[in-house]
């Protein structure tokens, strides 16, 4: 499995993709055997990785994206500007994760790093607001 991101990305995104690919190797997915890595990038340039964490009680499974977001929040960083998700195949993120990400920045960039295609190709980038139009938010 490759662990170096495509050369053509901006440096911060390159680091984000590398962290996401690296996190995928930590996935705990004994039931689905479907490893997912993720990493979030904050406005200040910090990167927080995450992987999927499954459970014998299947419904308790936590997706990689949510693990990464929780790591950022636990470190006191809520200013998420981008998320990368590394896996084989699309589409991602799942509906639950779209809403979970939406909480912190509806217009964050989502990098979809599909490792089943050309690993040196730049990941597909899409705005979260396009993946989840009219997501749910409470004004504070
Ligand atoms: N999974 C993620 O980690 N992120 C997604 O966006 C889609 C699904 C995980 C959950 C589960 O461990 C495995 O992929 C199979 O559904």
């Amino acid at each position: 499995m490759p662990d170096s991101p495509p050369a053509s990305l901006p440096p911060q995104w390159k680091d984000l993709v590398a962290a996401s690919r690296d996190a995928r190797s930590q996935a705990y997915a004994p039931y689905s055997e479907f490893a997912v890595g993720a990493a979030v990038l904050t406005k200040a340039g910090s990167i927080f990785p995450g992987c999927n964490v499954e459970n014998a009680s299947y419904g308790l499974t936590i997706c990689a994206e949510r693990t990464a977001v929780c790591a950022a929040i636990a470190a006191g960083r809520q200013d998420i500007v981008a998320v990368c998700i590394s896996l084989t195949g699309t589409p991602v993120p799942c509906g639950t994760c779209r809403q979970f990400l939406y909480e912190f920045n509806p217009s964050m960039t989502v990098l979809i790093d599909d490792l089943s295609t050309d690993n040196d190709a730049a990941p597909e980038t899409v705005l979260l607001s396009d993946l989840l139009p009219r997501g749910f938010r409470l004004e504070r």
Side-chain angles (χ1 to χ4, degrees):
M1 184 178 49
D3 50 14
S4 50
S8 55
L9 294 175
Q12 272 191 331
W13 282 16
K14 245 176 108 171
D15 292 346
L16 184 67
V17 175
S20 177
R21 289 185 181 187
D22 194 45
R24 184 167 175 263
S25 65
Q26 307 298 337
Y28 177 74
Y31 305 106
S32 72
E33 297 185 347
F34 188 74
V36 185
V40 295
L41 175 70
T42 69
K43 200 172 175 186
S46 299
I47 289 173
F48 295 91
C51 61
N52 53 334
V53 182
E54 298 188 343
N55 190 275
S57 179
Y58 293 178
L60 296 182
T61 291
I62 305 175
C63 292
E65 300 91 314
R66 282 180 282 147
T67 312
V69 169
C70 289
I73 301 307
R77 308 310 307 262
Q78 300 181 1
D79 49 353
I80 295 168
V81 295
V83 59
C84 177
I85 306 148
S86 300
L87 78 173
T88 53
T90 51
V92 283
C94 75
T96 299
C97 287
R98 291 178 197 199
Q99 176 62 35
F100 200 83
L101 291 162
Y102 196 91
E103 176 76 17
F104 297 100
N105 179 2
S107 54
M108 75 173 71
T109 301
V110 179
L111 286 77
I112 301 171
D113 182 34
D114 180 1
L115 297 163
S116 65
T117 58
D118 177 6
N119 295 310
D120 287 328
E124 179 189 356
T125 59
V126 59
L127 289 178
L128 180 59
S129 52
D130 288 332
L131 290 177
L132 184 66
R134 302 180 67 174
F136 179 65
R137 268 195 133 193
L138 291 176
E139 294 309 327
R140 290 170 287 165

